[in-house]
Short mmCIF file of all heavy atoms in Angstrom, two decimals:
data_model
loop_
_atom_site.label_atom_id
_atom_site.label_comp_id
_atom_site.label_asym_id
_atom_site.label_seq_id
_atom_site.Cartn_x
_atom_site.Cartn_y
_atom_site.Cartn_z
N LEU A 575 40.22 43.67 33.88
CA LEU A 575 41.24 42.91 34.61
C LEU A 575 41.35 43.37 36.05
O LEU A 575 41.67 44.53 36.31
CB LEU A 575 42.59 43.07 33.90
CG LEU A 575 42.64 42.58 32.45
CD1 LEU A 575 44.00 42.86 31.84
CD2 LEU A 575 42.30 41.09 32.38
N ALA A 576 41.08 42.44 37.01
CA ALA A 576 41.26 42.76 38.42
C ALA A 576 42.69 42.48 38.85
O ALA A 576 43.18 43.04 39.80
CB ALA A 576 40.29 41.94 39.27
N GLY A 577 43.36 41.66 38.15
CA GLY A 577 44.75 41.30 38.45
C GLY A 577 45.15 40.13 37.58
O GLY A 577 44.41 39.18 37.43
N GLY A 578 46.31 40.20 37.00
CA GLY A 578 46.71 39.12 36.10
C GLY A 578 45.77 39.07 34.90
O GLY A 578 45.44 40.10 34.33
N ASP A 579 45.36 37.88 34.54
CA ASP A 579 44.46 37.72 33.41
C ASP A 579 43.02 37.53 33.80
O ASP A 579 42.15 37.21 33.00
CB ASP A 579 44.90 36.49 32.56
CG ASP A 579 46.21 36.75 31.87
OD1 ASP A 579 46.50 37.93 31.64
OD2 ASP A 579 46.93 35.76 31.57
N ASP A 580 42.72 37.69 35.13
CA ASP A 580 41.35 37.50 35.57
C ASP A 580 40.51 38.70 35.14
O ASP A 580 40.88 39.85 35.33
CB ASP A 580 41.28 37.36 37.10
CG ASP A 580 41.98 36.08 37.54
OD1 ASP A 580 41.97 35.10 36.78
OD2 ASP A 580 42.53 36.12 38.65
N VAL A 581 39.34 38.42 34.63
CA VAL A 581 38.38 39.46 34.23
C VAL A 581 37.12 39.24 35.03
O VAL A 581 36.56 38.16 35.02
CB VAL A 581 38.10 39.38 32.72
CG1 VAL A 581 37.10 40.48 32.33
CG2 VAL A 581 39.39 39.55 31.92
N GLN A 582 36.66 40.30 35.73
CA GLN A 582 35.44 40.17 36.51
C GLN A 582 34.27 39.90 35.57
O GLN A 582 34.24 40.37 34.45
CB GLN A 582 35.19 41.45 37.30
CG GLN A 582 36.23 41.71 38.38
CD GLN A 582 35.89 42.96 39.16
OE1 GLN A 582 34.85 43.59 38.95
NE2 GLN A 582 36.78 43.31 40.09
N LYS A 583 33.29 39.16 36.11
CA LYS A 583 32.11 38.88 35.31
C LYS A 583 31.31 40.17 35.10
O LYS A 583 30.95 40.85 36.05
CB LYS A 583 31.21 37.85 36.00
CG LYS A 583 31.86 36.45 36.09
CD LYS A 583 30.94 35.46 36.77
CE LYS A 583 31.61 34.09 36.79
NZ LYS A 583 30.74 33.09 37.49
N PRO A 584 31.07 40.55 33.83
CA PRO A 584 30.37 41.80 33.57
C PRO A 584 28.88 41.67 33.88
O PRO A 584 28.32 40.59 34.00
CB PRO A 584 30.62 42.01 32.08
CG PRO A 584 30.82 40.65 31.53
CD PRO A 584 31.48 39.86 32.62
N MET A 585 28.24 42.83 33.98
CA MET A 585 26.80 42.91 34.24
C MET A 585 26.10 43.52 33.02
O MET A 585 26.63 44.42 32.37
CB MET A 585 26.51 43.76 35.47
CG MET A 585 27.13 43.23 36.75
SD MET A 585 26.35 41.72 37.32
CE MET A 585 24.72 42.34 37.76
N LEU A 586 24.91 43.04 32.75
CA LEU A 586 24.05 43.63 31.73
C LEU A 586 22.71 43.87 32.38
O LEU A 586 21.95 42.93 32.66
CB LEU A 586 23.91 42.70 30.53
CG LEU A 586 23.06 43.23 29.35
CD1 LEU A 586 23.64 44.55 28.85
CD2 LEU A 586 23.00 42.21 28.22
N GLY A 587 22.43 45.15 32.69
CA GLY A 587 21.25 45.45 33.48
C GLY A 587 21.41 44.84 34.86
O GLY A 587 22.41 45.03 35.54
N ARG A 588 20.44 44.05 35.25
CA ARG A 588 20.53 43.39 36.57
C ARG A 588 21.02 41.96 36.47
O ARG A 588 20.96 41.21 37.44
CB ARG A 588 19.17 43.41 37.27
CG ARG A 588 18.04 42.72 36.53
CD ARG A 588 16.70 43.07 37.15
NE ARG A 588 15.59 42.47 36.48
CZ ARG A 588 15.01 41.32 36.81
NH1 ARG A 588 15.48 40.66 37.86
NH2 ARG A 588 13.97 40.86 36.17
N TYR A 589 21.52 41.58 35.28
CA TYR A 589 21.93 40.19 35.08
C TYR A 589 23.46 40.09 35.04
O TYR A 589 24.14 40.92 34.43
CB TYR A 589 21.35 39.65 33.77
CG TYR A 589 19.85 39.66 33.74
CD1 TYR A 589 19.15 40.65 33.08
CD2 TYR A 589 19.13 38.65 34.42
CE1 TYR A 589 17.77 40.66 33.07
CE2 TYR A 589 17.75 38.65 34.41
CZ TYR A 589 17.08 39.67 33.73
OH TYR A 589 15.71 39.68 33.73
N GLN A 590 23.96 39.07 35.69
CA GLN A 590 25.38 38.77 35.69
C GLN A 590 25.69 37.81 34.54
O GLN A 590 25.08 36.76 34.41
CB GLN A 590 25.77 38.14 37.01
CG GLN A 590 27.25 37.79 37.13
CD GLN A 590 27.59 37.25 38.50
OE1 GLN A 590 27.59 37.97 39.49
NE2 GLN A 590 27.85 35.95 38.57
N ILE A 591 26.65 38.21 33.71
CA ILE A 591 26.98 37.42 32.52
C ILE A 591 27.96 36.31 32.92
O ILE A 591 29.02 36.57 33.48
CB ILE A 591 27.59 38.29 31.41
CG1 ILE A 591 26.64 39.41 31.05
CG2 ILE A 591 27.90 37.45 30.21
CD1 ILE A 591 25.26 38.94 30.64
N GLU A 592 27.57 35.05 32.64
CA GLU A 592 28.41 33.92 33.00
C GLU A 592 29.33 33.53 31.83
O GLU A 592 30.54 33.35 32.03
CB GLU A 592 27.52 32.70 33.35
CG GLU A 592 26.58 32.96 34.51
CD GLU A 592 27.32 33.07 35.83
OE1 GLU A 592 28.44 32.53 35.93
OE2 GLU A 592 26.82 33.72 36.74
N LYS A 593 28.79 33.40 30.67
CA LYS A 593 29.62 33.00 29.50
C LYS A 593 28.84 33.26 28.23
O LYS A 593 27.63 33.46 28.24
CB LYS A 593 30.04 31.56 29.58
CG LYS A 593 28.89 30.57 29.49
CD LYS A 593 29.40 29.12 29.49
CE LYS A 593 28.25 28.13 29.38
NZ LYS A 593 28.73 26.74 29.35
#
Side-chain angles (χ1 to χ4, degrees):
L575 300 177
D579 291 334
D580 295 328
V581 179
Q582 294 183 3
K583 293 181 179 179
M585 299 290 293
L586 182 57
R588 60 193 178 95
Y589 299 101
Q590 180 176 289
I591 303 304
E592 300 290 336
K593 66 177 180 179

